[in-house]
Amino acid sequence: MRALNRKLLRDLATLKGQAAAIAMVIASGVMTLMIAVTTLDALTLTQQRFYEDFHFADVFADLTRAPEGVGERLRAIPGVNRVETRVKASVRLEVPGFDEPVRGLLLSIPDGREPLLNQLYLREGRLPDPGRADEVAVSDAFAEAHGLRAGDPVLAIIRGRLTTLRVSGTVLSPEHVYQIAPTDLLPDYRRYGILWMNRRALASAYGMEGAFNNVALSLEAGGSEAEVIAHVDRILARYGGIGAHGRDDQHSHRFLHEELKQLRAQAVILPTIFMLVSAFLLNVVLSRIIRNQREQVAVLKAFGYRNLDIALHYGMLTGLIVALGSALGIGLGLWAGSGLAVIYTEYFRFPELSFRLQAWVILLSVGVAAGAAMLGTLRAVWGAVQLPPAEGMRPEPPARFRKGWLERSALRHWLDQPARIILRNVGRHPLKSSLSVVGIAMSLGLLVMGAYQLNAVDHMIDTQYRQVMRMDLHLTFSDPTPARVQSELRHLPGVLAVETYRAVPVRLLAGHREYRTSVLGMDERPYLRQLLDGQQRPQRLPPEGLLLTDYLAQDLGLRIGDRVRLEVQEGHRQTVTVPLVGVVDEPLGVGAYMWRPAVNRLMREGPAVNGAWLLIDEQREAALFDRLWDLPGVASVGMISESERNIREYMADTILMFALVFVLLATSIAFAVVYNNARIAFAERSRELATLQVLGYSRGEVSWILVGEILLLTLAALPVGWLIGTGFAWALNQAFSVDMFRVPLVLTPGAYGFATAVVLAASVAAVALVVRRLHRLDKVSVLKAVE
Amino acid sequence: MAADAAKQAEGSRNREVVFETRGLTKTYLMGEVEIHALQGVDLDLYAGELVVMLGASGSGKSTLLNIMGGLDTATSGSVRYRDQDLTHASEKALTLFRRDHVGFVFQFYNLIASLTARENVAIVTEISRDPMPPEEALALVGLKERLDHFPAQLSGGEQQRVAIARAIAKQPAVLLCDEPTGALDSKTGIQVLEALKHINEEMQTTVAIITHNEVIGEMADRVIRLRDGRVEDIHEHERRREPGELRW
Ligand SMILES: Nc1ncnc2c1ncn2[C@@H]1O[C@H](COP(=O)(O)OP(=O)(O)OP(=O)(O)O)[C@@H](O)[C@H]1O
Ligand SMILES: [Mg+2]
């Protein structure tokens, strides 16, 4: 092996601690990008394949009832490819062994075969036998939650009659990748199930023979969704159609889309921040390591090594570290990325995860890391080779001495000599010192950002469930019910308070933007379901006008006072224009709110409601449930504590999982940076410190010079780091707002405290390591080795 | 005797000039203060000769040697190596010049700490045209037993000898030595000087040695004295003495 290469390996061995720390920084950057991009890619690709292979429809429409022949007219619409008419019904289910109410959705499939659209992926068993009226295929998540196997019974209340259904198999559908009950935010597989039944059996159970109440269509290549929707609406208007919609408003697709959008934001922002920080640190640290070798550079040059040879030599040193870090980052990133993708499949039900390794991701992440590292290296090498060798071989001259504030101030009288040395060392190399400070501050900033994510999600859920949703139970009725149901509910055992609401599906239009949601008609001063303003104060509903979640108002480009077109999607399907009278600050979900009588007026109905919120006495919960379950009009009973638990679990599994990984990485980066700073300070000062020790300074005093410098820089970095972290959190927050939730930009003292504690701990550890090294330092050999 | 001297002088005059400096100055700027390390040096070095440079500390010896060896550039004046003008040579040309023609022994050794004695020599022979094996070079300076020791495991004198082995191993056309014996006892010093003389005689290498030791001057063809950045005096010897005859 060439002597130069030997030098390379030996240098690497000498720098092993620092090299490992730098490799860790690179690995973190690479890993972050790998995790984000792999997860995102796996989900996107899986979604695409599932949609294609199982013919996910493009347009969907609900209606009251249309004769089967209408299907032919839909098929004839220009731009339409396939049409699948269906019967669809909401049911209440009972699963043997599970006490609580379960909501179900029954969907028809053609007798004994796969539908043309929204085909089913059979996970286990078979599709319902065409000859059997009682067989159903159930969604695999529901089956899994209840341990249902082929042949097991499920009870359904179909038009008031308790009917026993048999499970024929478990299936997945592209239409229900995200299986969520209409009013929920998150899947609850135990309390909501989707069942597929033979068309004839389902039709006869609901009096829908020869008719359909739901239709799915696919578009021809180049077919216009908007035109088809308009056409479908015209045809179905007579049959109680409530407005066809595209995939964008399809529940499952919308959630998946939102989740991917949020993941994409995370995949861009977080790795970008990480890579930038890593790049900066690599640049600084490597250039300082190389600068310490300037004498060797001069020797090599003196003997005729060309600048290129020298650049290559140090480039290889850096290259090895980068390679090591990248390999580690790729490995960890793939492992964590695939793990995270698997977690996501718990929420998004796909047949199987399509997982692939994308060369460009690896190239990109390694390229950024290597680029940054090389830039730092070559910058330093360039500085070193530019010196004439004669000069390079002499120790670097100290920067020109100036009488700084220290020499002039009164402070110097009570500072001891070591303290003065510390301050001079720091003050004489302002650039070096400030780069160290910025480096530490950046790692601190990463930690603040990580801690912010962990804290803010908690804060968000707390706000939602302590201040916004103050009820215990949420009831929905199958049909609008007279408002007096409120006092009936109030008298049920254990009920402490009741508020009712009227929810109506609407389409909101503002300019060319639109949004489908439900408008909630509520009491004038709702207490159990609060509408908070920007200062977290409850708002009251005015007799006229609409309130929107601030995020939705922004999304629609609306300001208070603007007018919104509101198309009711039910009943007489009125269209009115109402003013936006206020915005609601709520972290989870989006909604539209009006005074209930105004909604009733809109529906041209009397005082009717179709949902209620209950505050209950937990002691009597069981008795209450028995009674609720027997009320005929109740379609669903949701426990708020349950949904809170669900959302916490979901956040913990997804965002927080991400955040935790980042906190771990940020912690290791903080250690790496602080340790490297300490080691470099040690390398730069060891000769001076050995000399001082030989001159009679005690070990303690000498250690203090080094430790004091490190601590001084660390302390200076704290406020800068808090500031940087706040900036990072802000950047992340900007990307974090989606329909489903908006993590608020709340930076708790805890987040700063945690980040600061980690950095201080890292400093103490690094200081301990360096001091140990200082004590082992062979003074004689340091002094003997002429620089 | 007189005829001999005349002949020698004649010979010198006819000899090929290797280095030629004219009006060479070097000024260092230390803040506001200018330090005139060289203030107009006119000097010729001839092919195959062995010169010793003497002068008080700070008189500019190292500075002159560094400029001749292409390690540093002059503030004004000119330096030539044979027919090559070093004054205005590019960085690249200087690198090639050093690689192909010059061997250095530095005042402060400047060994690479992470390489063994053998490797410190090899790092130079690997880029030379016609080197001797590193082992042979180290044997010449009496270090064949210490091939695999790192600089930190060698005494100052031993490190200096590794530095000399490193300089001679490439069999350069010129050998520039800055206090090669400064750190050595007289016995080892003489050993090192013998190695230098060996190279000088065997390969017609031009050797320049900086020293504070007047005695060493006796082995030189010429002794050049510097003072305050100028050549104060050049003294030619009729007969060079063997290093072995020197005592200090
Ligand atoms: N990089 C530098 N910056 C400023 N002054 C310098 C520098 N290098 C050398 N000098 C000054 O130039 C003068 C000549 O230095 P040089 O090293 O050539 O002396 P020298 O004759 O080799 O002395 P010594 O025998 O002590 O090695 C000295 O006054 C020295 O202080
Ligand atoms: Mg000198």
Side-chain angles (χ1 to χ4, degrees), chain A residues 623-687:
Chain A
L624 177 63
F625 266 95
D626 280 348
R627 295 286 300 277
L628 285 177
W629 198 214
D630 289 338
L631 288 179
V634 174
S636 73
V637 181
M639 289 201 294
I640 302 305
S641 60
E642 192 72 25
S643 53
E644 180 183 345
R645 205 175 50 83
N646 274 337
I647 199 149
R648 279 192 199 278
E649 230 167 66
Y650 172 76
M651 293 290 175
D653 280 354
T654 56
I655 298 186
L656 296 186
M657 187 74 170
F658 245 79
L660 200 68
V661 171
F662 293 138
V663 167
L664 287 179
L665 292 181
T667 304
S668 64
I669 288 185
F671 271 92
V673 171
V674 175
Y675 176 68
N676 254 308
N677 266 325
R679 277 303 307 273
I680 291 170
F682 174 77
E684 288 169 354
R685 307 256 179 273
S686 57
R687 210 173 135 75

Side-chain angles (χ1 to χ4, degrees), chain A residues 105-118:
Chain A
L105 180 70
L106 275 171
L107 275 172
S108 72
I109 50 170
D111 292 5
R113 64 172 174 83
E114 284 276 5
L116 293 174
L117 294 173
N118 306 323

Side-chain angles (χ1 to χ4, degrees), chain B residues 61-63 107 178-179 210:
Chain B
K61 306 181 293 292
S62 298
T63 306
Q107 187 167 4
D178 199 342
E179 298 189 33
I210 291 179

